[in-house]
Protein backbone atom coordinates (compact mmCIF):
# COMPACT_ATOMS: atom_id res chain seq x y z
CA UNK A 1 0.00 0.00 0.00
CA UNK A 2 1.52 3.39 -0.92
CA UNK A 3 1.80 6.17 1.60
CA UNK A 4 -1.20 8.44 1.32
CA UNK A 5 -1.00 12.20 0.96
CA UNK A 6 -3.08 12.86 4.07
CA UNK A 7 -4.08 11.07 7.23
CA UNK A 8 -7.14 12.06 9.23
CA UNK A 9 -6.77 11.20 12.90
CA UNK A 10 -10.30 11.15 14.33
CA UNK A 11 -10.36 11.32 18.10
CA UNK A 12 -12.61 8.58 19.46
CA UNK A 13 -11.55 8.96 23.08
CA UNK A 14 -14.34 8.29 25.58
CA UNK A 15 -14.48 9.75 29.06
CA UNK A 16 -16.90 8.63 31.76
CA UNK A 17 -20.32 10.26 31.74
CA UNK A 18 -20.43 13.43 33.79
CA UNK A 19 -16.92 14.72 33.00
CA UNK A 20 -17.58 18.42 32.28
CA UNK A 21 -15.43 18.76 29.15
CA UNK A 22 -17.00 15.65 27.64
CA UNK A 23 -15.26 13.61 24.97
CA UNK A 24 -15.26 13.19 21.23
CA UNK A 25 -16.84 9.73 21.46
CA UNK A 26 -19.73 11.11 23.50
CA UNK A 27 -20.31 13.62 20.67
CA UNK A 28 -20.51 10.95 17.97
CA UNK A 29 -16.89 10.59 16.81
CA UNK A 30 -17.04 6.81 16.35
CA UNK A 31 -19.87 7.10 13.82
CA UNK A 32 -18.15 10.08 12.25
CA UNK A 33 -15.00 8.00 11.69
CA UNK A 34 -17.00 5.24 10.02
CA UNK A 35 -18.82 7.76 7.84
CA UNK A 36 -15.52 9.40 6.79
CA UNK A 37 -13.96 6.03 5.90
CA UNK A 38 -16.95 5.09 3.78
CA UNK A 39 -17.12 8.46 2.00
CA UNK A 40 -13.38 8.45 1.28
CA UNK A 41 -13.65 4.94 -0.17
CA UNK A 42 -16.72 5.86 -2.26
CA UNK A 43 -14.77 8.74 -3.82
CA UNK A 44 -11.86 6.45 -4.68
CA UNK A 45 -9.46 8.32 -2.38
CA UNK A 46 -8.74 5.57 0.16
CA UNK A 47 -5.96 3.73 -1.66
CA UNK A 48 -3.71 6.67 -2.59
CA UNK A 49 -4.94 9.97 -1.17
CA UNK A 50 -6.45 9.80 2.32
CA UNK A 51 -6.72 7.42 5.25
CA UNK A 52 -9.13 8.00 8.12
CA UNK A 53 -7.66 6.57 11.32
CA UNK A 54 -8.87 6.55 14.89
CA UNK A 55 -6.88 8.33 17.56
CA UNK A 56 -7.01 8.66 21.29
CA UNK A 57 -7.30 12.08 22.93
CA UNK A 58 -6.11 15.02 20.81
CA UNK A 59 -6.34 17.41 23.82
CA UNK A 60 -9.14 19.59 22.44
CA UNK A 61 -12.04 17.72 24.03
CA UNK A 62 -14.19 20.85 24.34
CA UNK A 63 -13.96 21.34 20.55
CA UNK A 64 -14.74 17.76 19.59
CA UNK A 65 -15.33 15.77 17.65
CA UNK A 66 -11.81 16.70 16.58
CA UNK A 67 -9.78 15.54 13.58
CA UNK A 68 -6.05 16.13 13.13
CA UNK A 69 -5.12 16.44 9.44
CA UNK A 70 -1.56 15.36 8.76
CA UNK A 71 0.96 16.14 7.40
CA UNK A 72 -0.83 19.48 6.90
CA UNK A 73 -0.79 20.24 10.63
CA UNK A 74 -4.27 21.58 11.29
CA UNK A 75 -7.27 20.38 13.26
CA UNK A 76 -10.93 20.29 12.39
CA UNK A 77 -13.27 20.75 15.34
CA UNK A 78 -16.95 20.47 16.18
CA UNK A 79 -17.34 18.16 13.20
CA UNK A 80 -20.79 16.71 12.59
CA UNK A 81 -21.96 13.98 10.20
CA UNK A 82 -23.37 16.74 7.95
CA UNK A 83 -19.79 18.06 7.47
CA UNK A 84 -18.40 14.81 6.02
CA UNK A 85 -19.32 15.42 2.35
CA UNK A 86 -17.71 18.87 2.46
CA UNK A 87 -14.57 17.48 4.10
CA UNK A 88 -14.25 14.74 1.47
CA UNK A 89 -14.85 17.24 -1.36
CA UNK A 90 -12.10 19.45 0.08
CA UNK A 91 -9.71 16.51 0.37
CA UNK A 92 -10.36 15.58 -3.27
CA UNK A 93 -9.65 19.18 -4.31
CA UNK A 94 -6.54 19.53 -2.14
CA UNK A 95 -8.01 22.23 0.07
CA UNK A 96 -9.42 22.46 3.58
CA UNK A 97 -12.79 23.43 5.05
CA UNK A 98 -11.88 26.72 6.67
CA UNK A 99 -15.03 27.01 8.78
CA UNK A 100 -14.06 23.78 10.58
CA UNK A 101 -10.37 24.60 11.13
CA UNK A 102 -9.75 25.24 14.82
CA UNK A 103 -8.38 28.72 15.54
CA UNK A 104 -5.59 29.16 18.12
CA UNK A 105 -8.01 30.12 20.91
CA UNK A 106 -9.76 26.74 20.64
CA UNK A 107 -6.62 24.95 21.84
CA UNK A 108 -7.13 26.35 25.36
CA UNK A 109 -10.33 25.38 27.13
CA UNK A 110 -10.69 28.76 28.85
CA UNK A 111 -10.72 30.67 25.55
CA UNK A 112 -12.43 28.09 23.33
CA UNK A 113 -15.76 28.56 21.66
CA UNK A 114 -18.75 26.58 22.85
CA UNK A 115 -18.72 22.78 22.58
CA UNK A 116 -21.20 20.75 20.59
CA UNK A 117 -23.74 19.10 22.85
CA UNK A 118 -23.53 15.36 23.25
CA UNK A 119 -26.38 13.62 21.44
CA UNK A 120 -29.02 12.11 23.72
CA UNK A 121 -28.35 8.52 24.79
CA UNK A 122 -29.48 6.11 22.10
CA UNK A 123 -29.59 8.78 19.38
CA UNK A 124 -27.92 8.00 16.03
CA UNK A 125 -24.37 9.36 15.80
CA UNK A 126 -23.69 9.36 12.08
CA UNK A 127 -23.65 5.69 11.22
Amino acid sequence: MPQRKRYLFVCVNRRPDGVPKGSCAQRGAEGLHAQLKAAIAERGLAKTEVRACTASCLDVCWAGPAIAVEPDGYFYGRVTPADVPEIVDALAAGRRVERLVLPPEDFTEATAGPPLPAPPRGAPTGT
Side-chain angles (χ1 to χ4, degrees):
M1 185 71 56
Q3 180 175 345
R4 285 131 175 132
K5 293 179 184 174
R6 287 184 183 81
Y7 289 83
L8 305 179
F9 294 97
V10 182
C11 175
V12 294
N13 191 54
R14 180 174 299 278
R15 287 200 166 68
D17 290 342
V19 173
K21 65 181 166 183
S23 66
C24 291
Q26 290 167 327
R27 293 187 183 103
E30 292 158 330
L32 189 68
H33 172 257
Q35 187 181 355
L36 269 168
K37 279 186 77 159
I40 289 166
E42 286 172 13
R43 289 289 294 269
L45 302 172
K47 300 284 185 200
T48 60
E49 300 295 316
V50 183
R51 171 99 165 119
C53 307
T54 58
S56 188
C57 187
L58 296 174
D59 291 329
V60 288
C61 312
W62 45 86
I67 301 171
V69 182
E70 294 298 340
D72 300 340
Y74 61 88
F75 284 65
Y76 286 140
R78 299 176 188 87
V79 179
T80 69
D83 297 320
V84 170
E86 188 176 1
I87 291 170
V88 175
D89 286 346
L91 290 164
R95 58 180 172 76
R96 62 191 202 173
V97 182
E98 293 299 328
R99 68 180 179 79
L100 296 174
V101 175
L102 291 180
E105 58 271 13
D106 268 338
F107 288 87
T108 304
E109 187 174 11
T111 58
L116 288 178
R121 282 190 162 251
T125 57
T127 56

